[in-house]
Each structure stands twice: as C-alpha cells, then as structure tokens.
Amino acid sequence: MVKNKPASCSEYDNTDMSYTISPLYNTDKELKEVEYDLAELGCPVVWSYEDAFLPEIWITDNNVPIRRVDLDFSIREVNNRHDYNFTETIEDVGCVVAPQTWGQLGDTWGPDTYQSCFSYTGNSDDLEAIPRRIKKLQYEILNSTSANKITFSKHQANYTFEIIVLDPAASYCQLSTKFAVWIHDVPNSSDVGIIVLFLSCFV
C-alpha cells in the first residue's frame, strides 16, 4: 500500500494500463510489453521527473502502521529499466569497503546476506583500497537519513519497483513490497508530500 496516492483509479476506468518499454531503456535491449497488475500494485504514483524520489517505509500489523523503518533498504525496477539513477556515489557516502549491489547478489540480496560498506568484514579484501572506478559508481542503498535519492530521466515513463529492507535489525523476516511510479513532465503539486510505503512481513 502506498500512502498519498489515489485509493481508486477511476481515471483509468475502461483504459488499458499496459505499456511498452523501449529497448533503449532496459538492460535486456528488447521491446517489452508490460501488463499492469492493478491488484498487486494498486494505483500508480504519478511523479515529476523534476523531483528526486525517496519513499518512507513503515512496517504494518494487520494493515495498521506500527513502526517506521529508518534502516537500510534498496530499490530495483523489476522490468530491468535503467533510465533512473541514484544521486550519491560510493565515494560520496564514504564506504570503507565496496558495497553490495543488485548486480552482484540479485535475488539473494536481503537481510540474510546484507553487509554494510561502512564496516570491515574481516576478509583480506577489506585491507585493499576501493578502486577509483568503483568509488565513482552509484550507491544503491537508501535510508531515511541519507542524502541518497532516486532521479528519473527527463521523459515520460512507467516503472514497477520492488523495495527490499536490507538491514536485519528491521525485522526477523524479509520486508518487501512492489509499487508503480508513472513519470510525467509536470511539477508535483505542493501537497504530494512524502510517498509512504507500508510493508508486511513475509517469512
């Protein structure tokens, strides 16, 4: 569930919500036809490409928000779109070891495998300086207190994102959710506020 988005999608009644993704904008380099799953995703968040994006995450119990998650999480586009960016680099955030990434760990990335880049793990590789080419890469981990956010390319686009809470201190189980963001070239209204995602616990 996403707070601050329409509870119903009446404007899409009798409208095909499916869309295509150009080969230019996905890592598979193929034209993709995407069926919009309204039951799973709910109404899309309509966002302007002029504004950086950072959702606020809450854990729910029986659909009641009980606790905000202020720990590390990450976000990926499930259709392999690559036309969005994280605002901070590995060098910007001050990692002491190379951070984990979606490309490195894929579906195995989560609380059971997460290691922060701000502390040494005891591996001999930790003693080697992070190569400069690695330092300049985007930092893919977000949290509510960091400056890292997501920015979108300056064109209209539809995204389906998955969020996974990485820090095992957040919960004993995996916390994740999916939601849609539709990018338009108009400014967000002043009352949009922060997008709030409510996560349920999956074991």
Side-chain angles (χ1 to χ4, degrees), residues 76-147:
R76 66 171 167 178
E77 212 286 325
V78 301
N79 296 303
N80 294 329
R81 293 195 74 123
H82 57 66
D83 52 336
Y84 66 96
N85 294 284
F86 295 89
T87 58
E88 300 292 294
T89 65
I90 294 169
E91 185 174 46
D92 290 335
V93 300
C95 289
V96 297
V97 295
Q100 297 172 323
T101 65
W102 285 108
Q104 175 190 20
L105 293 173
D107 291 337
T108 66
W109 203 15
D112 293 336
T113 57
Y114 177 59
Q115 294 178 348
S116 170
C117 72
F118 300 108
S119 59
Y120 294 106
T121 65
N123 295 330
S124 59
D125 291 344
D126 288 350
L127 301 178
E128 300 181 8
I130 303 176
R132 185 167 181 80
R133 63 178 179 81
I134 299 295
K135 289 183 178 181
K136 296 301 181 183
L137 297 179
Q138 295 178 33
Y139 182 63
E140 299 180 11
I141 298 168
L142 305 162
N143 64 48
S144 62
T145 60
S146 74

Side-chain angles (χ1 to χ4, degrees), residues 151-198:
T151 57
F152 299 98
S153 299
K154 294 187 179 299
H155 56 248
Q156 295 190 23
N158 299 341
Y159 299 82
T160 300
F161 285 115
E162 179 182 23
I163 276 184
I164 294 181
V165 177
L166 297 171
D167 197 316
S171 174
Y172 67 88
C173 60
Q174 180 171 306
L175 298 168
S176 65
T177 193
K178 291 181 181 179
F179 65 102
V181 178
W182 288 14
I183 300 301
H184 289 260
D185 57 354
V186 296
N188 289 327
S189 61
S190 60
D191 60 350
V192 166
I194 298 172
I195 299 302
V196 182
L197 299 179
F198 295 134

Side-chain angles (χ1 to χ4, degrees), residues 21 52-53 57 65 67 101 176 188 199-200:
I21 302 175
F53 183 82
I57 302 176
R67 177 163 56 90
T101 65
S176 65
N188 289 327
L199 278 64
S200 299

Side-chain angles (χ1 to χ4, degrees), residues 3-39:
K3 189 176 178 180
N4 290 337
K5 72 174 182 180
S8 65
C9 303
S10 58
E11 66 268 38
Y12 300 113
D13 286 351
N14 303 314
T15 301
D16 183 4
M17 295 178 68
S18 62
Y19 58 92
T20 60
I21 302 175
S22 166
L24 297 174
Y25 300 134
N26 70 81
T27 57
D28 302 314
K29 300 187 183 302
E30 61 184 24
L31 180 66
K32 293 191 173 187
E33 300 280 347
V34 180
E35 296 291 332
Y36 191 93
D37 190 338
L38 186 60

